[in-house]
Amino acid sequence: MTKINYQIKLCCAAALCLLGASLPCYSAIIPLPATTSGRYFDSGVFLSGGYGTGWHSGLPGEARSFFSFNLAGVTGTIISATMHLQTAPGFGSYLSGDPTETLSLFDVSTAIASLSGGSGGIPAFTDLGTGTVFGSLVVDNTAGNSSTSR
């Protein structure tokens, strides 16, 4: 299961802090499961659910995955997020012939309805691998079946 943990920090406004006002600040970890996930291939082909990123033998080229999360119940300012990914039992998490690969998380501007509905095509594939990088992780073939957090 894919989930993301957001750390929410509710605090006084910066101006009040500068004026010496003493208001409590607190944070909370809120686990949120992915509401949708899928992947686009470089040909524009879409597969709903799960995640598999990179080159796959027997599939139509390079794949780029996405996850969406419903933030409707989240209030306050999100100051950080951690994503936990786990491979399916019995399925190797690292299938590259190279000793390492880099997994990066990018911002996405494609409309969620288009992205999750499968109509994004090649532009969605491109969007999933370009833009602002939110984080990267070097993965190697020693990980086996495991979970990854970043």
Side-chain angles (χ1 to χ4, degrees):
M1 171 179 234
T2 304
K3 68 178 180 177
I4 192 163
N5 291 328
Y6 286 99
Q7 184 174 6
I8 309 300
K9 185 175 184 181
L10 303 175
C11 190
C12 54
L16 291 175
C17 290
L18 291 175
L19 295 173
S22 178
L23 296 176
C25 297
Y26 67 92
S27 65
I29 303 291
I30 302 172
L32 296 171
T35 54
T36 59
S37 65
R39 62 193 125 163
Y40 280 88
F41 291 88
D42 54 4
S43 62
V45 170
F46 168 73
L47 290 178
S48 179
Y51 55 94
T53 298
W55 291 93
H56 301 270
S57 62
L59 295 176
E62 181 184 358
R64 295 179 180 167
S65 300
F66 71 90
F67 307 92
S68 65
F69 301 88
N70 183 349
L71 302 178
V74 176
T75 59
T77 302
I78 298 172
I79 60 169
S80 67
T82 302
M83 180 178 257
H84 301 276
L85 302 174
Q86 186 163 352
T87 61
F91 187 79
S93 63
Y94 190 88
L95 302 174
S96 175
D98 297 325
T100 63
E101 297 286 353
T102 301
L103 175 67
S104 297
L105 300 175
F106 294 90
D107 72 320
V108 176
S109 60
T110 302
I112 190 62
S114 175
L115 196 64
S116 62
S119 62
I122 294 172
F125 170 83
T126 302
D127 190 20
L128 290 169
T130 58
T132 302
V133 177
F134 289 137
S136 293
L137 175 68
V138 175
V139 182
D140 63 40
N141 59 5
T142 63
N145 290 329
S146 63
S147 62
T148 302
S149 299
R150 195 65 173 174

